[in-house]
Amino acid sequence: MTTDVSAAEPPVPACPGPGPDEARWLSEDEQLAWRAWLFSSLLLHDRLDRDLIRETGISHAYYEILVQLSETPGHSLRMSELAERCLSSRSRLSHAVARLEERGWVRRQVCAEDGRGQLAVLTDEGFAALEGAAPVHVESVRTHLLDQLSPQQITAMRDIGETLLRHLAPR
Amino acid sequence: MTTDVSAAEPPVPACPGPGPDEARWLSEDEQLAWRAWLFSSLLLHDRLDRDLIRETGISHAYYEILVQLSETPGHSLRMSELAERCLSSRSRLSHAVARLEERGWVRRQVCAEDGRGQLAVLTDEGFAALEGAAPVHVESVRTHLLDQLSPQQITAMRDIGETLLRHLAPR
DNA sequence: GCGGAATAGTAAAGCCTTCAACTACGCTAG
DNA sequence: CTAGCGTAGTTGAAGGCTTTACTATTCCGC
């Protein structure tokens, strides 16, 4: 087999000994671990998002915005702070908040301290929508993630996630 | 605080004892594990995809199509088989293959055995593009994932991923 | 205060994905 | 053989996300 390519192996097998600027290809084990993570995370995100949309009409991205606002005293956040907490670009958040505004779940308010800023504020209707969606989402997270794993696996998952977060989102 | 909402806690705290059709809220530990997984996986997908696009102009979704084709004898697959392996809908794959065709990396060919079917075939140019991109991508997977984790964590990650896959993609 | 740089947020264009038809072909019962 | 159904794949419209550019406001050094 001289024509296999994957994340683990080069399209053309690497030389026996790695050369000076030879890329470090993945071992069999690394490959299997990486692909298992890749596919399982894609499938899980997809599943949770679809469940939530089907049963509540709220995508996970929008749900996250509502959650972040609800967790804040005053149920409001500056647009950029909200974007950061939602792992969203400012532009993306701006679009998303516009749509949530149309639904009457969030409203914008000019920021008192900084005339440039906008405050996204969760409305009562938005809070009610979140109250309705939260149990559905939690159930879905349980069914497809937590119920599938042993307590040790859940601990390990947290450990791995936190390790990666320190690298990917320092501070 | 009676107004916090997250994936773990209800918008209004649940009653002390869970009622009959009371949702099962997440414990503190479950919540932390779930959120760590959620954010780290979002950030990692995003990071790997951006690295690949920036350095090669190929998104991870397109890269995966090329990989799957390259791993097949004959460097070709039926459209629906390819869609399944890429965790993609048929429509999505159809659009994507159209773009890859424009780049000259894939071509379509009617299937001999089944007149309804199409075969996606990797071209030599497509294979060359993959050869160029693979080392970049592998390096990125190493830097942001494998190098961050201990051997035990990598083993645990694989174990968790495979467990979830059995649930999410049975068979 | 004032001119320039930096920051907050929005808007527009283009690509990607989804959803819902729609075409074309194959399979099977009568 | 042919009607009807199921399967393979594509298409087009709608909406979301990214990128880039733009406006408005604030900050800072003088």
Side-chain angles (χ1 to χ4, degrees), chain B residues 11-168:
Chain B
V12 171
C15 316
D21 43 49
E22 190 78 38
R24 301 170 296 157
W25 299 107
L26 304 190
S27 71
E28 173 92 8
D29 273 2
E30 289 172 329
Q31 158 85 336
L32 288 169
W34 150 243
R35 303 289 281 181
W37 177 86
L38 175 64
F39 287 127
S40 64
S41 63
L42 285 175
L43 284 169
L44 186 50
H45 279 294
D46 189 63
R47 183 62 174 263
L48 295 175
D49 199 32
R50 282 173 192 278
D51 277 5
L52 193 55
I53 290 172
R54 177 168 37 77
E55 302 202 25
T56 71
I58 308 175
S59 70
H60 194 263
Y62 288 10
Y63 180 84
E64 189 65 33
I65 292 173
L66 301 181
V67 166
Q68 293 297 338
L69 288 175
S70 79
E71 286 181 342
T72 298
H75 286 184
S76 66
L77 277 171
R78 289 288 293 271
M79 290 297 283
S80 30
E81 176 66 21
L82 182 54
E84 207 164 298
R85 294 193 190 192
C86 293
L87 305 182
S88 180
S89 71
R90 292 181 182 190
S91 174
R92 180 188 180 192
L93 183 75
S94 193
H95 287 293
V97 166
R99 310 269 153 60
L100 292 175
E101 240 179 334
E102 286 168 15
R103 295 196 192 187
W105 292 352
V106 171
R107 63 185 164 75
R108 279 178 233 241
Q109 186 179 299
V110 287
C111 181
E113 302 94 50
D114 188 338
R116 295 167 299 182
Q118 291 275 106
L119 229 47
V121 186
L122 187 63
T123 65
D124 292 345
E125 291 79 7
F127 190 77
L130 182 55
E131 278 187 321
V136 171
H137 181 53
V138 169
E139 190 55 35
S140 190
V141 170
R142 270 208 186 285
T143 303
H144 301 304
L145 179 64
L146 299 171
D147 285 353
Q148 300 303 319
L149 303 177
S150 69
Q152 294 76 31
Q153 285 177 312
I154 292 177
T155 302
M157 177 177 76
R158 173 177 169 186
D159 174 47
I160 292 167
E162 289 176 347
T163 301
L164 294 177
L165 280 178
R166 280 193 291 278
H167 169 72
L168 294 165

